[in-house]
Amino acid sequence: MVPLLASVVAGTAIITPIIIVLLRSLTTGKLGVTVGFTLTNYLRVFGDRDILPMLNNSILYAAGSAALGTGLGALLAWIVARTNTPGKALVELMPLYPILMPPIMKNIAWILLLAPKSGILNNLLQGVFGIEAQVFNAFSMAGMVWVFGLACVPLGYLFLLPIFLSFDPSLEESAYIAGSRPVHTTLRITFPLALPAFLSAFVLNFLRGLRSFETPVLQGTPGNIKVFVSRVYDSMALEFNTGLATAYSVVLVVLSVITLVFYIRATRFSERYATITGKGYRVKVLDIGIWKYVTFLAVFLYFLVGIAIPFVVLIVVSMIPYFDYETFMKFPSNLVLSNYYKVIKHPSFVTGLYNSLVLSTTIALFTVLAGIVMAFTIYRTKTYGVKVFEFIGTLPLAFPPLVLSVGLLIVFLGTPLYNSLWALGVGLFVAYFPYAFRNASGSIVNIHKELDEAAWVHGARWRHVFFKITLPILKPSVGGALFYIFIEAIRNVDVAVLLTSPGHEYGPVTLFEYFRVGQWAEAAAGGVIYLIILIIAVSVAKFAFNLKFSL
């Protein structure tokens, strides 16, 4: 009863703002005003002549980004976990550092690099090689998939790494005895065994793409690439029409349900992928010979494009008076530090940074624990109807966080929680719970039920099974989920932008305000400070306290 009750509480917190926004899509009233229900918003949505192009662009953008991010993440996880690539202490962290950079900072950096006319790379090609054609275009579908796909890699890496580290290698050893080569064994046995976790990561990345905010607005809108989330943003920011915005988001709900149905059908026989049993074993590291230097180079190249190059661009932009190609190339002769002085003296920057650190840590702990409890309830209890939690736990991914925050605003309006950090905490919990839940689900299906059944036979209660068996085995996944949700929450803008208030600032929102008013140099300076603090915090936790985020 205890895990079921905890799942009901978490499910209620998740479903309440969702119900509110759905009801809001059926009314044209303003906030705080009760009016009758109407289908006006849906008539506008389905009468929009751009609805089919938006549907096509949304699916193409989400699928392309998910394929790039999850595929590359799986490859990096295999390299780190199963090969003798040199420098493991460094290599295992390289795929994780890119998630430290706030999303807006990534978009700004790649826009500065790939813009058709003013972009650094296009101008370099023209100046050095005389290439007049605009080879790169940040405001294209390819540019959007590239930027957001790179952002999806860490999630795929964190989901697949524990799987590659934990499953029984006896099947691989049998293949080797039968004469199979390492490459053939990896492609036919190792990767297929990780299919549930891969699909979990792909589904999450696909749904992230459907409702991602920064890339479609910053890169898609200038290129006239319309997706549903940008239309939701226009309805909120330009018309402040919450009903129309939530009506557009219902289309995302339909796409989410279709995706979930595919995922559930694809993993309905998930027990066939169970590889963790009661037998003892040790994972074998594959000796790939001279190719180990190639795999190290592959990880290092991702580190360069994932964070190093964008970070250098931001550092330079933060130290010049304004950005254009000529001014950028004159660095460091035109170096200034005034942008950093402005950011440090900003009245809400320090407070916002402190609030984001404390709140993100707290939310990560509660969200991961709640996600494991709900996954345990679904896959390890026999209570009737618990499968509905699988749908509820993933449903927030279909809604843009901006719309979810509107639902929470309506819920908390007139209560002591309105304009408080508690409201922001609930918003972050709802937004990131699906990641904790799907991470736990993908890992629990790899634990054979014989371990639980042995405990049940000996009279163990659910708490003993959960805390003594399930949770210790899930330790690698728990560490990865804690790390990922902490970093995602601490750099969040979508949820926080509507739930913060004077006196309750949030760091990323302060950076967003700089960008919103066109102060790119100040935004870059704030982003650099933010990123340096996060890198120091993660490095100290990793090396000084021997904390393993993923391993």
Side-chain angles (χ1 to χ4, degrees):
M1 286 299 295
V2 175
L4 178 61
L5 180 61
S7 298
V8 170
V9 172
T12 302
I14 293 168
I15 203 68
T16 299
I18 292 176
I19 292 175
I20 292 295
V21 297
L22 288 176
L23 292 176
R24 202 70 195 177
S25 69
L26 295 171
T27 179
T28 57
K30 302 296 183 181
L31 289 176
V33 178
T34 302
V35 297
F37 293 111
T38 176
L39 296 176
T40 301
N41 296 316
Y42 288 99
L43 292 176
R44 288 188 59 181
V45 168
F46 292 105
D48 191 339
R49 62 181 181 180
D50 293 326
I51 188 170
L52 291 180
M54 284 192 295
L55 180 63
N56 178 70
N57 290 336
S58 297
I59 294 176
L60 182 60
Y61 165 64
S65 300
L68 173 61
T70 311
L72 185 53
L75 177 61
L76 295 176
W78 175 79
I79 289 174
V80 171
R82 305 307 303 274
T83 71
N84 61 335
T85 301
K88 278 293 179 68
L90 179 63
V91 167
E92 74 179 48
L93 281 179
M94 282 185 181
L96 299 178
Y97 277 123
I99 69 176
L100 299 177
M101 183 177 289
I104 287 181
M105 299 299 103
K106 290 182 181 180
N107 289 108
I108 291 177
W110 282 108
I111 288 172
L112 297 175
L113 283 165
L114 304 178
K117 295 181 179 179
S118 60
I120 297 169
L121 295 182
N122 282 323
N123 280 278
L124 276 176
L125 291 177
Q126 181 178 354
V128 176
F129 300 102
I131 300 176
E132 297 292 336
Q134 297 173 354
V135 179
F136 302 103
N137 185 0
F139 310 118
S140 64
M141 179 60 72
M144 293 171 61
V145 169
W146 169 255
V147 175
F148 193 73
L150 290 177
C152 291
V153 171
L155 188 144
Y157 174 78
L158 288 172
F159 272 41
L160 272 298
L161 185 59
I163 303 303
F164 286 131
L165 284 170
S166 61
F167 65 72
D168 190 345
S170 60
L171 295 176
E172 295 174 314
E173 293 171 356
S174 299
Y176 293 142
I177 294 174
S180 176
R181 293 185 178 182
V183 174
H184 185 266
T185 301
T186 299
L187 295 177
R188 297 295 299 272
I189 296 178
T190 306
F191 285 160
L193 284 174
L195 183 61
F198 182 89
L199 287 177
S200 290
F202 181 87
V203 167
L204 283 176
N205 280 328
F206 180 83
L207 295 177
R208 287 177 67 200
L210 284 180
R211 82 326 172 235
S212 67
F213 172 73
E214 292 88 351
T215 301
V217 171
L218 300 182
Q219 294 182 238
T221 300
N224 198 31
I225 300 176
K226 300 176 182 179
V227 297
F228 282 104
V229 74
S230 59
R231 186 57 61 90
V232 170
Y233 175 73
D234 290 341
S235 301
M236 293 283 294
L238 302 182
E239 302 181 40
F240 200 68
N241 190 333
T242 58
L244 184 61
T246 53
Y248 273 114
S249 70
V250 168
V251 181
L252 296 179
V253 176
V254 175
L255 293 176
S256 175
V257 171
I258 294 174
T259 305
L260 286 176
V261 169
F262 163 77
Y263 170 76
I264 293 172
R265 287 182 60 84
T267 59
R268 62 188 183 276
F269 302 116
S270 57
E271 285 193 1
R272 68 177 60 175
Y273 298 98
T275 57
I276 301 177
T277 66
K279 301 177 182 178
Y281 59 85
R282 178 177 296 177
V283 176
K284 181 180 179 181
V285 174
L286 183 64
D287 185 358
I288 56 176
I290 196 173
W291 288 98
K292 64 184 179 181
Y293 301 108
V294 177
T295 56
F296 177 85
L297 180 61
V299 178
F300 184 70
L301 285 176
Y302 169 71
F303 174 77
L304 287 179
V305 299
I307 190 172
I309 294 175
F311 188 35
V312 170
V313 170
L314 288 179
I315 290 177
V316 174
V317 173
S318 70
M319 293 183 178
I320 58 179
Y322 58 90
F323 174 79
D324 59 33
Y325 178 71
E326 290 74 17
T327 306
F328 181 88
M329 296 305 292
K330 290 179 181 178
F331 183 83
S333 62
N334 55 354
L335 185 149
V336 296
L337 297 177
S338 58
N339 297 318
Y340 288 94
Y341 180 80
K342 294 177 183 177
V343 169
I344 294 174
K345 290 297 182 179
H346 195 287
S348 63
F349 184 80
V350 176
T351 302
L353 180 60
Y354 173 80
N355 288 339
S356 58
L357 283 168
V358 174
L359 195 57
S360 298
T361 303
T362 305
I363 293 303
L365 290 171
F366 276 99
T367 305
V368 170
L369 180 60
I372 295 174
V373 170
M374 183 174 286
F376 182 85
T377 303
I378 294 172
Y379 294 104
R380 289 296 188 264
T381 65
K382 299 180 180 180
T383 306
Y384 179 77
V386 294
K387 283 293 183 180
V388 70
F389 289 126
E390 186 158 13
F391 176 76
I392 294 176
T394 312
L395 188 58
L397 289 173
F399 289 80
L402 194 67
V403 176
L404 289 175
S405 64
V406 171
L408 289 170
L409 275 177
I410 299 172
V411 171
F412 294 133
L413 193 64
T415 71
L417 296 179
Y418 182 70
N419 280 343
S420 69
L421 290 179
W422 287 99
L424 178 55
V426 175
L428 293 173
F429 173 84
V430 173
Y432 293 114
F433 180 84
Y435 300 99
F437 171 62
R438 290 257 59 96
N439 176 64
S441 299
S443 298
I444 283 180
V445 297
N446 279 278
I447 303 175
H448 204 284
K449 288 184 178 181
E450 69 180 25
L451 299 178
D452 295 351
E453 292 169 352
W456 298 123
V457 169
H458 287 81
R461 297 188 177 183
W462 78 267
R463 62 177 181 272
H464 298 114
V465 176
F466 181 77
F467 288 105
K468 297 294 186 180
I469 298 177
T470 304
L471 201 56
I473 294 177
L474 290 178
K475 185 178 179 180
S477 296
V478 170
L482 282 172
F483 173 72
Y484 182 80
I485 293 176
F486 167 77
I487 297 300
E488 284 290 319
I490 202 173
R491 63 198 188 125
N492 178 274
V493 174
D494 305 28
V495 175
V497 70
L498 293 181
L499 297 176
T500 53
S501 60
H504 302 93
E505 291 85 2
Y506 204 67
V509 177
T510 304
L511 303 181
F512 176 77
E513 291 299 323
Y514 276 123
F515 169 78
R516 189 177 64 86
V517 297
Q519 296 176 308
W520 284 27
E522 288 85 348
V528 169
I529 294 174
Y530 215 78
L531 184 56
I532 289 175
I533 292 174
L534 289 177
I535 289 177
I536 292 174
V538 171
S539 299
V540 168
K542 171 65 182 176
F543 295 108
F545 301 102
N546 196 31
L547 176 63
K548 292 182 177 293
F549 301 114
S550 55
L551 300 182

